[in-house]
């Protein structure tokens, strides 16, 4: 099967890093292709950027509709996830969504450790209906830049964030955000509970949904758009709204 | 004060209709200006359209930043509301949000009656934190076209939707969506509870916030973006992300 | 319009202070009148006092029914708010309720900082249906007396309470209780997020509701009482129950 | 032990009826005394009456403080329950509260069937923290007068309300309100699940709390008032606030 | 009446200790008998042990069905409580359930202090529908062994756990688990709020339910099993499933 | 990989049917083995049977520990799921749990249609933390026997149950319980939304978890039992508790 790893920001290096993580997680028969939006924010770190990136992501997906069997959104805020799911004829999974649901299958309540602010993660997890299974949200006081400059120092901060999540009742811990890619594998040995990586979980859940071959709904809010007019959109996106 | 009535779809007739409703509700000293996005869906009736319209709306708002004292989003899904609030230096209010909070001040639980599907309204109200005050969501089986063709028939359907909401515990009823604009005033006389119109509530709450003169936060997820790079956005929107 | 600022305790100095705050917030055309109950507790600091003050407040309101266009309850527990709303022919707003809903329109989750115990505030906010938007409740260890004796020391404690609320995710902070009146304006400059004052929010929301001219419901739990008999109540209150 | 059955309305016939029900439920060693407020509404059927009755009830309780071992509030809205609990030196139980918690011990979710509107019952049960265990709220379209005039017709309506509650998932059903006193015993034989009577449950839970001999808290929101000044209250109530 | 105190682990010393506590709490006319399962874990300290003990407990109860008037489960996880309630022809109460509901009747939110992990207590309290009334869950870092070796040191730890629960808003505190039996009585004098003992609460609530004489439901998920076939169960348990 | 399909009742025909469904869903490299408990109820249709079957299931799993790479519980109540997860050194997935989480990945809220009572399903879904994503629970009035005798009549009832779930907001529908095995595939063509089969979802999610190679936690409530003594259990189960 072909899975599209769709970044929602315009930084190709992040796309490449996520594609690599996806290939490491993919099953033998899975081909990973990756794509970066043509417009939008370089990095998504605020509410406004997230909305803009949502449009950019849908435009990107429209270019691949019909050519891939499934999509993993390589963006930690699950940007435009529900809209992408409605638009595309194939399964779409968000990387943080995937990590959260995998954490549920591991058991009990989970924690999420990330760089910086956690408010929008709290909202997103609540929108997934999982507020009751969230034990702890930890914002590590570090930046992606710092993690390049002082990897060991940052890793110590992340380890302390994981320990705090466990002490607050987390039975597994998600490491959220592209900046923490690769940390789960590196830090698992010393952690008391499973560490979850969004790209790995996303690829496995997308593969699983593709093989289930569930049909697209013909009713409800996830039925494909049909007969919708628009102005100034990319031809591919406009065509998909038109149905 | 100057209030911007910002439509999120590209249908100028709807912008005009909302501006008229806003002017009817505005205080004497309030100047209403209205604007329509340069791109995006003609009407927002699905998840994908809503995301695309979010970007279009932010681009529109960026053109008016600094020139208005407050914004009312003239779109029933409160499209991109939180992002707009972060982006703009002035208060921003969504029309359905405004109606919901006004309903709370009227007392008890409220109902919402609209045309068509109600799933995304349920999600939006839950995101506003008001799931516990929602008594009833009624999707009237009618279309905007039908309301032009058979206004009396449609009004009977809406009246029956209002009655059902009241029987399910609603102590006030919001008439949601542009297609129901004007119905509240027309149908209030025969209704047992107050009927709420999103544009009227939105204008009054925006006026109220403007006069309160609350400062823009310097921390948290509603602080203005600063130093953010982007590609391919309108100059005004790119400049606002840059700070 | 005429707005009644109704205290629920019997301390006229607090009524006067609230009336002054209300006048500062009122629009040019708004006349503020203020009133104090004829019986009840000097200060409301417990559950029993709150119930007693509820009756005193309703008796007070009954004396003004028909002579005012709206009411703001100048009592931080929103004492008897729902009953007052049912009883009166005009809009009624509670000062903490007003601050909470205004905080929602500012965005995200809010904090509340007050003197002393916070348990009953938690319950009241949950009754307003806003538990999901409450990020932090901070009880500052200080008394109204202390704030007279050592204003700077108390202000430092309040500042530290605000900072704690922000660190717990508050995107705006309500300063609750009459003893903190005036602190919002004084402390806003050094705060990272908007500080909200219940009297100011209450006056603006009451003005807004008055101008909306919503009808009194004829059904449901907020319809005016009618034909109800009673013993030993003030003539005005007994008459209102009688309808 | 001595239990006070405290009505909150001023209708002595209801007090007498509740006292009789209490005596039927009481253990051999329990003495039931009953009392009626000196002022307030004849019947509590709205929000305003409920608040007024709260004061009347506290004044009544203050007259009995120290002379009874426990109190059962003989009023279906659990009027002023938390305040009474704070004020009194002995256990206080509300009749609907008692029925709800007993229903929980019977297992699963419960239903509540009453005459007239159910909105305020929904709020009260949510305040007790039991919204998640409420399966069904049924307002039977009948009046106390009708139940005197056409007892069989009303009983059929109640039976149909019970059946509806069971079909909505209730594993026990509370018959709420003084007007339904005695119905539980009469209708149990034909009901598929246990029917709960508030007075019986209240007396048994009050007896249980009295024998547990739990101390009055010295901290928190249920500690007795102390040093509180007031104006115009009954001497007994003023004295209790004074401590 | 005869109450069965049913342990769910196989340690007879714990059964004896619980029976003693039950006798201390029982009313004069109540006969306490106690029983220990014939198989299962010595102590229940994990999820797997709890499930196994559930079967052992039901087998034990089946031996006493018809010979006792009520059952108190002497196991802090309320092991198999709902199943026992369905199976038995008489009332069944869990000791932690009993303490939680008694805490509700004392007022406000409660805390629970126990030895070791608290995750499964959080889940159990949520299953009872009481998550909203839980203020604080404190796992004291001590073992039953330590409480024998250093009773004063452990008591200091428990006192500090109680103080933390009160500071987090608990208006009463449950001491959970057999290892804390007897601590409530010993530590009450220095505690600011009521301390609740599960066995005492369980016995009183079981007595209360027995005297209410509620019928067994004939419908719903608590109706007795009937006509169910099984393999390899104790004759008594198999017979009860058969009905 | 080797997946164990573990039935929790003692009816081998159901085990065989589930194994067949599992093989149909399994990936090429997955070997399906199936097993039936040695004791317990023939069918699980009540609370008591479910608890007994939990022990039987754990005893069965203990016989396979170390010999399989993952487990799918072939029982619609997810019997003893959390305990099995703690006990086993490999991933364990429940069939209804699997269907619920898959439904979440399909988007929006889901419905569940099953034969008979739905109360315990509601509780189980709430325990999974998914109450907020459950749109509709429909108990079809039919029995497994009837579905053999009149397959077309029963299929019409199921179709009507699916339609009701969709009308109540379900964007996908789970067909729950062994008696509905095979219906999803047969009825998908005429359904407006995806139909989910628990065995298929369970196998795919178990495969996914196995390939993720997450470690067993060393802390928290899912860490393997160690050093626990017991009486009268199967040697394999006793050994696993001993660690």
């Amino acid at each position: 099967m072909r899975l599209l790893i769709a970044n929602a920001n315009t930084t190709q290096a992040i796309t490449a890093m996520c594609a690599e993580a996806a290939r490491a997680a993919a099953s033998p028969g899975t081909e990973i292709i990756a794509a970066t939006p043509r417009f939008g924010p370089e990095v998504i770190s605020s509410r406004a950027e997230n909305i803009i990136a949502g449009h950019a992501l849908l435009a990107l997906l429209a270019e691949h509709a019909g050519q891939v069997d499934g999509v993993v959104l390589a963006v930690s805020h699950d940007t435009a996830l529900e809209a992408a799911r409605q638009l595309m004829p194939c399964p779409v999974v968000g990387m943080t969504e995937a990590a959260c649901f995998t954490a549920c299958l591991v058991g009990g309540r989970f924690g999420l450790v990330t760089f910086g602010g956690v408010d929008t993660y709290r909202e997103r997890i609540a929108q997934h209906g999982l507020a009751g299974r969230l034990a702890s949200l930890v914002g590590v006081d570090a930046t992606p830049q710092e993690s390049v400059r002082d990897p060991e120092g940052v890793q110590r901060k992340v380890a302390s964030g994981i320990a705090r999540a466990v002490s607050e009742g987390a039975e597994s811990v998600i490491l959220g955000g592209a900046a923490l890619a690769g940390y789960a594998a590196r830090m698992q040995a010393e952690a008391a509970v499973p560490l979850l990586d969004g790209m790995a979980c996303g690829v496995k859940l997308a593969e699983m949904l593709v093989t289930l071959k569930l049909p697209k709904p013909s009713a409800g809010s996830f039925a494909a758009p049909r007969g919708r007019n628009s102005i100034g959109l990319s031809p591919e996106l406009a065509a998909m709204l038109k149905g």
Side-chain angles (χ1 to χ4, degrees), chain A:
Chain A
M1 76 180 71
R2 296 184 89 200
L3 290 188
L4 174 64
I5 306 303
N7 190 3
N9 69 36
T10 52
T11 303
Q12 301 222 359
I14 295 181
T15 311
M17 193 176 70
C18 290
E20 187 181 6
R23 281 189 193 102
S27 295
T30 300
E31 180 189 358
I32 298 292
I33 62 172
T36 310
R38 297 179 190 277
F39 66 90
E42 262 185 19
V43 172
I44 302 171
S45 70
S46 79
R47 295 176 183 277
E49 290 165 301
N50 196 42
I51 288 289
I52 299 165
H55 173 203
L57 178 71
L58 294 187
L60 180 68
L61 293 184
E63 296 180 33
H64 292 82
Q67 301 165 39
V68 294
D69 301 298
V71 176
V72 181
L73 303 187
V75 47
S76 65
H77 289 86
D78 293 339
T79 303
L81 169 61
E82 292 82 1
R85 201 165 263 159
Q86 182 215 354
L87 190 71
M88 293 293 278
C90 63
V92 179
V93 175
M95 66 182 276
T96 295
E97 172 197 52
C100 290
F101 283 112
T102 303
C104 289
L105 293 169
V106 165
R109 297 190 302 152
F110 60 87
L112 187 148
V113 174
T114 189
F115 285 179
V118 296
D119 290 313
T120 50
Y121 281 101
R122 186 188 312 280
E123 293 173 15
R124 204 58 175 108
I125 290 170
Q127 284 168 24
H128 290 325
L130 293 177
R133 294 199 70 166
L134 177 64
S136 175
L137 257 184
V138 181
V140 170
D141 183 16
T143 60
Q145 292 73 24
E146 188 181 342
S147 74
V148 173
R149 211 175 54 233
D150 178 14
E152 285 181 19
V154 167
Q155 194 160 322
R156 272 194 303 274
K157 287 184 182 177
V158 174
S160 132
I162 293 170
R164 181 174 144 207
V166 170
S167 79
E168 291 177 1
E171 314 248 25
S172 65
V173 175
I174 298 167
L175 299 186
L180 282 168
Y183 276 71
R186 225 178 308 148
M187 300 183 69
Q188 180 66 75
E190 35 178 324
V193 300
L195 303 182
L196 296 169
D197 175 86
M199 281 311 299
C201 296
V203 166
K204 301 319 288 181
L205 286 174
E207 289 179 343
M208 174 261 184
L209 286 170
V210 170
T211 59
L212 271 180
K213 291 199 176 63
L214 298 167
K216 183 84 183 166
S218 61
S221 70
F222 291 93
R226 181 177 291 269
R228 317 297 311 159
N229 295 320
S230 60
I231 299 175
L233 305 188
S234 75
E236 294 87 354
L237 186 51
M240 288 198 81
L241 293 181
K242 203 72 187 170

